[in-house]
Amino acid sequence: MPTFNTTTDTRAKAKIIAKNLEMRFENKQLFSAEELVFEQNRVIHLQGDNGCGKTTLMKLLAGFISPTAGTIQAQGFSIAPWWRSNSITGKAIYLHQHPYLFEGSVMYNLTYPLRFLNGDKELLKARTEQAIDKAQLRHLLTQAASSLSGGEKQRLAIARAWIIQPKLLMLDEPTSNMDKHSQQLVLQMIVDLKQQGTGMLISSHQTCMLTKVCDHAWLICDKTITSGNISANQDMTNAHIDVSTRLNVSIG
């Protein structure tokens, strides 16, 4: 049976650790992995061909799905309320390439999560104003979020995450629907979050300007996940990965 656990240590980085995982669907093994560590102050490029299991892995770390076996532990977070059955849900924010947006205006979508946050309201208001300008959404604030283009929706979702300043953030093919201008806007917000200590897992099957801010890589190739460091200013395509972990993975 899979198990979930949350521990709090104010001295430690926030992290999610997955160990001895096994994923099966209808008796078909999807993948297994010995250990993965996703933590603050680390930006990881999750690489692999389309269909290799990147999205499934991210949903697993987000707590949206449960493994067939293994443990997933969250450290450095507040203890989850008793009524939340999966204690890792909500620890890492997950943004799909087609992000979920609420009905209502762009401004409503930007400000909706703020009512659930504990913190300086004036600071959150100031961050909201900054995010509006960083994502160049000011002329769209009264427009229905559902009417935005694919790239505008992505900018809105990432701006919303930028306001929240999460400890861990996962981005699934974040620039797939964007032109170069939108990519530049998103890149600056991602660089800001990196400087603020947010740990990020960025999924992309190809190198782009966004993946070049990554300092670590997880590569799904030939049914194996290889993880390691990336040298500074090195092109991801030709980067030499200093392998620290090899995880036996079978992907259907």
Side-chain angles (χ1 to χ4, degrees), residues 181-215:
H181 177 65
S182 291
Q183 288 182 31
Q184 289 284 358
L185 296 176
V186 167
L187 174 62
Q188 186 56 58
M189 286 188 282
I190 295 304
V191 169
D192 287 348
L193 287 172
K194 179 179 180 179
Q195 293 173 344
Q196 294 163 14
T198 295
M200 286 174 280
L201 181 62
I202 301 173
S203 169
S204 178
H205 66 280
Q206 61 185 358
T207 301
C208 64
M209 64 177 70
L210 194 56
T211 60
K212 291 182 180 181
V213 305
C214 299
D215 45 48

Side-chain angles (χ1 to χ4, degrees), residues 12-238:
K13 297 177 184 177
K15 63 180 67 175
I16 292 176
I17 304 170
K19 292 184 177 181
N20 302 316
L21 296 183
E22 183 178 354
M23 288 293 294
R24 289 181 174 272
F25 293 100
E26 298 181 352
N27 296 320
K28 180 180 179 182
Q29 182 170 309
L30 182 61
F31 60 72
S32 62
E34 292 180 5
E35 183 176 72
L36 293 171
V37 179
F38 176 32
E39 63 183 345
Q40 282 185 290
N41 299 309
R42 176 175 293 183
V43 182
I44 304 166
H45 181 192
L46 177 56
Q47 305 174 61
D49 294 334
N50 287 332
C52 73
K54 298 189 299 295
T55 295
T56 298
L57 180 58
M58 296 179 94
K59 288 182 177 179
L60 179 63
L61 296 176
F64 294 162
I65 57 177
S66 298
T68 305
T71 62
I72 303 177
Q73 183 181 39
Q75 298 179 356
F77 294 93
S78 300
I79 297 175
W82 64 268
W83 45 262
R84 180 172 288 172
S85 60
N86 185 343
S87 61
I88 67 167
T89 302
K91 297 296 187 293
I93 292 179
Y94 170 72
L95 296 184
H96 192 267
Q97 60 180 305
H98 303 294
Y100 175 81
L101 299 175
F102 301 107
E103 290 186 12
S105 68
V106 170
M107 190 63 178
Y108 176 79
N109 272 268
L110 283 172
T111 58
Y112 180 82
L114 304 187
R115 68 193 71 183
F116 304 107
L117 298 177
N118 295 321
D120 188 320
K121 298 302 181 183
E122 289 302 315
L123 178 60
L124 289 173
K125 182 178 178 181
R127 282 186 68 83
T128 300
E129 289 298 314
Q130 287 180 285
I132 290 169
D133 291 332
K134 284 179 177 292
Q136 294 189 6
L137 296 171
R138 193 165 296 280
H139 65 294
L140 300 171
L141 291 180
T142 60
Q143 190 168 319
S146 60
S147 68
L148 300 180
S149 67
E152 288 169 342
K153 289 178 179 178
Q154 286 279 53
R155 280 157 47 194
L156 170 55
I158 295 172
R160 186 168 58 190
W162 188 91
I163 296 168
I164 296 171
Q165 196 177 349
K167 293 181 178 180
L168 298 176
L169 174 64
M170 294 188 286
L171 300 141
D172 194 350
E173 299 286 352
T175 58
S176 59
N177 298 312
M178 291 184 183
D179 57 22
K180 293 293 184 182
H181 177 65
S182 291
Q183 288 182 31
Q184 289 284 358
L185 296 176
V186 167
L187 174 62
Q188 186 56 58
M189 286 188 282
I190 295 304
V191 169
D192 287 348
L193 287 172
K194 179 179 180 179
Q195 293 173 344
Q196 294 163 14
T198 295
M200 286 174 280
L201 181 62
I202 301 173
S203 169
S204 178
H205 66 280
Q206 61 185 358
T207 301
C208 64
M209 64 177 70
L210 194 56
T211 60
K212 291 182 180 181
V213 305
C214 299
D215 45 48
H216 285 70
W218 292 352
L219 174 63
I220 304 179
C221 182
D222 296 330
K223 300 182 180 181
T224 299
I225 297 180
T226 305
S227 68
N229 300 323
I230 301 171
S231 299
N233 301 320
Q234 193 169 15
D235 189 293
M236 291 292 296
T237 305
N238 300 313

